[in-house]
Amino acid sequence: MRILVVEDETRMAALLRQGLTEEGYAVDAVTDGREIFDWVDVYTYDLILLDVMLPGMDGITVCKTLRRQHNDTPILMLTARHTLSNRVEGLDSGADDYLVKPFAIEELLARVRALTRRQSPSRSTDIIVGGLRLDTLNRRTYRNETAIELSPKEYALLETLVRHPDQTISRQQIINHVWDADYDAHSKVIEVYIHGLRRKLGDEDNRLIQTVRGLGYRLSSS
Ligand code: CA
């Protein structure tokens, strides 16, 4: 899952990036309201965390503009303002949820999970495929009901594959969903993580996570 954080306050931006990265999300961060449009042109985000008071263009205007452009990425608005009219304005502009600063990072993460879950066709928090069960709420993985310990990044990689069973997921798609914009495209990091996942899942013969030569990877449902 890839999240765009739009926040001009350095400390808050760092806090958000750290909290989300620790949970395994890929995070890009921008500080100016106008910059957002360049990023959403290039990447498909699973969620946008949008501060209201921003240089360049305020969050309300950004939100209205994105919706006018038919961008329906879930938007969670963040603001220090807390009057009723501001909340209504935020939601009316097309935001999906609204969080007032200061907030506990745990609450933010819970809302992020709720909003990203809404995108999937099923509201169930478990994904079951090919003997795997991913509890997306608690980010736990089971193979044949045996718990598998994965790092946040390994989990994010596996979730990306599991959400599209029997489809080839390109390296670029994996990078887009799991790694940040500062990812080095020439590194072997994806291969390393795939290797680690196969080992932990007991997939020694590469039947579960299949390599599609020259293209990417495919998770087999059978
Ligand atoms: Ca701000």
Side-chain angles (χ1 to χ4, degrees):
M1 294 249 174
R2 191 183 189 95
I3 297 180
L4 181 63
V5 172
V6 191
E7 167 64 88
D8 59 313
E9 290 150 57
T10 317
R11 271 193 61 218
M12 176 60 83
L15 193 78
L16 291 170
R17 182 190 270 275
Q18 187 192 354
L20 292 165
T21 306
E22 281 175 7
E23 292 293 306
Y25 296 103
V27 179
D28 297 318
V30 299
T31 56
D32 183 297
R34 287 165 306 197
E35 279 181 62
I36 296 167
F37 302 100
D38 297 329
W39 288 80
V40 298
D41 276 351
V42 176
Y43 294 111
T44 304
Y45 288 99
D46 298 289
L47 181 77
I48 299 173
L49 284 186
L50 182 60
D51 187 31
V52 171
M53 301 290 280
L54 288 169
M57 186 187 277
D58 70 87
I60 301 280
T61 310
V62 166
C63 199
K64 284 181 181 164
T65 308
L66 285 171
R67 294 310 187 223
R68 223 172 21 237
Q69 295 172 349
H70 305 291
N71 183 316
D72 56 4
T73 307
I75 294 176
L76 173 53
M77 250 184 203
L78 308 173
T79 183
R81 296 186 297 181
H82 55 272
T83 64
L84 180 62
S85 66
N86 290 141
R87 286 190 216 202
V88 171
E89 194 186 8
L91 294 170
D92 277 351
S93 71
D96 297 272
D97 199 1
Y98 197 99
L99 197 53
V100 175
K101 296 173 189 173
F103 49 79
I105 193 78
E106 290 76 16
E107 181 177 7
L108 175 103
L109 293 172
R111 291 191 188 217
V112 166
R113 285 193 296 271
L115 283 171
T116 49
R117 201 153 60 228
R118 265 176 224 174
Q119 287 178 289
S120 38
S122 151
R123 294 283 177 94
S124 165
T125 57
D126 279 14
I127 307 173
I128 299 169
V129 62
L132 288 173
R133 179 165 68 88
L134 268 64
D135 168 359
T136 61
L137 192 59
N138 300 302
R139 302 183 148 249
R140 292 193 202 290
T141 304
Y142 303 85
R143 186 166 196 205
N144 302 324
E145 286 311 307
T146 302
I148 312 281
E149 288 297 326
L150 298 180
S151 71
K153 218 61 172 170
E154 287 169 337
Y155 176 86
L157 173 56
L158 183 62
E159 190 181 312
T160 301
L161 295 171
V162 162
R163 282 185 183 279
H164 310 276
D166 302 316
Q167 295 173 37
T168 300
I169 305 297
S170 69
R171 293 173 48 88
Q172 192 58 50
Q173 284 173 300
I174 292 172
I175 292 165
N176 286 353
H177 280 280
V178 182
W179 272 275
D180 307 325
D182 53 11
Y183 167 80
D184 173 6
H186 301 291
S187 77
K188 291 271 183 200
V189 67
I190 293 178
E191 286 78 356
V192 171
Y193 273 90
I194 290 281
H195 185 267
L197 265 184
R198 282 172 171 154
R199 182 174 48 78
K200 289 189 177 180
L201 294 169
D203 181 32
E204 284 84 7
D205 52 2
N206 304 354
R207 279 176 60 110
L208 182 66
I209 300 175
Q210 301 173 349
T211 302
V212 185
R213 201 165 292 278
L215 292 174
Y217 298 93
R218 177 171 57 214
L219 188 120
S220 169
S221 66
S222 56

Short mmCIF file of all heavy atoms in Angstrom, two decimals, residues 18 25 42 47 69 76 93 105-106 108 123 146 155 179 219:
data_model
loop_
_atom_site.label_atom_id
_atom_site.label_comp_id
_atom_site.label_asym_id
_atom_site.label_seq_id
_atom_site.Cartn_x
_atom_site.Cartn_y
_atom_site.Cartn_z
N GLN A 18 7.20 8.15 9.78
CA GLN A 18 7.74 7.09 10.62
C GLN A 18 6.65 6.09 11.02
O GLN A 18 6.83 4.88 10.89
CB GLN A 18 8.38 7.70 11.88
CG GLN A 18 9.10 6.65 12.71
CD GLN A 18 9.48 7.15 14.08
OE1 GLN A 18 9.31 8.34 14.39
NE2 GLN A 18 9.99 6.27 14.92
N TYR A 25 3.81 0.57 5.16
CA TYR A 25 3.31 1.34 4.01
C TYR A 25 4.49 2.00 3.29
O TYR A 25 5.46 2.41 3.93
CB TYR A 25 2.35 2.45 4.46
CG TYR A 25 1.08 1.95 5.11
CD1 TYR A 25 0.92 2.01 6.49
CD2 TYR A 25 0.04 1.44 4.35
CE1 TYR A 25 -0.24 1.56 7.10
CE2 TYR A 25 -1.12 0.99 4.95
CZ TYR A 25 -1.25 1.05 6.32
OH TYR A 25 -2.41 0.60 6.92
N VAL A 42 1.77 10.38 -11.51
CA VAL A 42 2.77 9.34 -11.70
C VAL A 42 2.40 8.06 -10.96
O VAL A 42 2.56 6.96 -11.48
CB VAL A 42 4.16 9.85 -11.24
CG1 VAL A 42 5.20 8.74 -11.34
CG2 VAL A 42 4.57 11.06 -12.07
N LEU A 47 -4.07 5.84 -0.55
CA LEU A 47 -4.64 6.83 0.38
C LEU A 47 -3.81 8.12 0.29
O LEU A 47 -2.61 8.07 0.07
CB LEU A 47 -4.58 6.29 1.81
CG LEU A 47 -5.16 7.18 2.91
CD1 LEU A 47 -6.68 7.13 2.91
CD2 LEU A 47 -4.66 6.77 4.28
N GLN A 69 -11.18 16.10 -11.03
CA GLN A 69 -10.38 15.37 -12.02
C GLN A 69 -10.69 13.87 -11.99
O GLN A 69 -9.95 13.08 -12.57
CB GLN A 69 -8.88 15.58 -11.75
CG GLN A 69 -8.42 17.01 -11.94
CD GLN A 69 -6.99 17.24 -11.49
OE1 GLN A 69 -6.39 16.38 -10.85
NE2 GLN A 69 -6.44 18.40 -11.82
N LEU A 76 -7.87 11.26 3.66
CA LEU A 76 -8.06 11.52 5.09
C LEU A 76 -7.51 12.91 5.37
O LEU A 76 -6.31 13.15 5.20
CB LEU A 76 -7.33 10.45 5.92
CG LEU A 76 -7.26 10.63 7.43
CD1 LEU A 76 -8.62 10.84 8.06
CD2 LEU A 76 -6.60 9.40 8.07
N SER A 93 -15.99 18.77 0.53
CA SER A 93 -15.03 18.95 -0.56
C SER A 93 -14.63 17.62 -1.18
O SER A 93 -13.94 17.58 -2.20
CB SER A 93 -13.79 19.69 -0.06
OG SER A 93 -13.03 18.84 0.77
N ILE A 105 -1.25 8.61 17.13
CA ILE A 105 -0.84 7.93 15.89
C ILE A 105 -1.64 6.62 15.74
O ILE A 105 -1.97 6.21 14.63
CB ILE A 105 0.69 7.69 15.84
CG1 ILE A 105 1.13 7.27 14.44
CG2 ILE A 105 1.15 6.69 16.87
CD1 ILE A 105 1.25 8.39 13.46
N GLU A 106 -1.99 6.00 16.87
CA GLU A 106 -2.77 4.75 16.81
C GLU A 106 -4.13 4.99 16.14
O GLU A 106 -4.62 4.16 15.39
CB GLU A 106 -2.99 4.15 18.21
CG GLU A 106 -1.75 3.58 18.85
CD GLU A 106 -0.81 4.65 19.40
OE1 GLU A 106 -1.25 5.83 19.57
OE2 GLU A 106 0.36 4.34 19.65
N LEU A 108 -4.82 7.43 14.03
CA LEU A 108 -4.57 7.68 12.62
C LEU A 108 -4.41 6.36 11.85
O LEU A 108 -5.01 6.16 10.80
CB LEU A 108 -3.32 8.54 12.44
CG LEU A 108 -2.96 8.72 10.96
CD1 LEU A 108 -3.37 10.09 10.45
CD2 LEU A 108 -1.51 8.46 10.69
N ARG A 123 -15.42 -6.24 2.29
CA ARG A 123 -15.06 -5.49 3.50
C ARG A 123 -14.40 -6.39 4.55
O ARG A 123 -14.00 -5.93 5.59
CB ARG A 123 -16.31 -4.84 4.12
CG ARG A 123 -16.93 -3.78 3.26
CD ARG A 123 -16.13 -2.49 3.34
NE ARG A 123 -16.70 -1.48 2.46
CZ ARG A 123 -17.57 -0.56 2.82
NH1 ARG A 123 -17.97 -0.52 4.06
NH2 ARG A 123 -18.03 0.31 1.97
N THR A 146 -0.76 -21.93 10.06
CA THR A 146 0.44 -21.75 10.89
C THR A 146 0.88 -20.30 10.75
O THR A 146 1.03 -19.79 9.63
CB THR A 146 1.58 -22.67 10.41
OG1 THR A 146 1.12 -24.02 10.46
CG2 THR A 146 2.81 -22.53 11.29
N TYR A 155 5.57 -8.24 4.59
CA TYR A 155 4.11 -8.34 4.63
C TYR A 155 3.49 -7.51 3.50
O TYR A 155 2.59 -7.96 2.78
CB TYR A 155 3.55 -7.89 5.99
CG TYR A 155 2.05 -7.89 5.99
CD1 TYR A 155 1.34 -9.04 6.27
CD2 TYR A 155 1.35 -6.75 5.60
CE1 TYR A 155 -0.05 -9.06 6.20
CE2 TYR A 155 -0.03 -6.76 5.51
CZ TYR A 155 -0.72 -7.91 5.81
OH TYR A 155 -2.08 -7.92 5.71
N TRP A 179 7.43 0.23 -2.28
CA TRP A 179 8.62 1.03 -1.98
C TRP A 179 8.39 2.52 -2.20
O TRP A 179 7.48 2.91 -2.95
CB TRP A 179 9.82 0.53 -2.80
CG TRP A 179 10.54 -0.54 -2.04
CD1 TRP A 179 11.51 -0.37 -1.08
CD2 TRP A 179 10.32 -1.96 -2.12
NE1 TRP A 179 11.88 -1.60 -0.57
CE2 TRP A 179 11.18 -2.58 -1.19
CE3 TRP A 179 9.47 -2.75 -2.89
CZ2 TRP A 179 11.22 -3.96 -1.00
CZ3 TRP A 179 9.50 -4.13 -2.69
CH2 TRP A 179 10.37 -4.72 -1.76
N LEU A 219 1.38 -14.82 -7.72
CA LEU A 219 1.02 -15.69 -6.62
C LEU A 219 -0.02 -16.68 -7.09
O LEU A 219 -1.08 -16.29 -7.58
CB LEU A 219 0.48 -14.89 -5.43
CG LEU A 219 0.28 -15.77 -4.21
CD1 LEU A 219 1.11 -15.29 -3.05
CD2 LEU A 219 -1.17 -15.88 -3.82
#
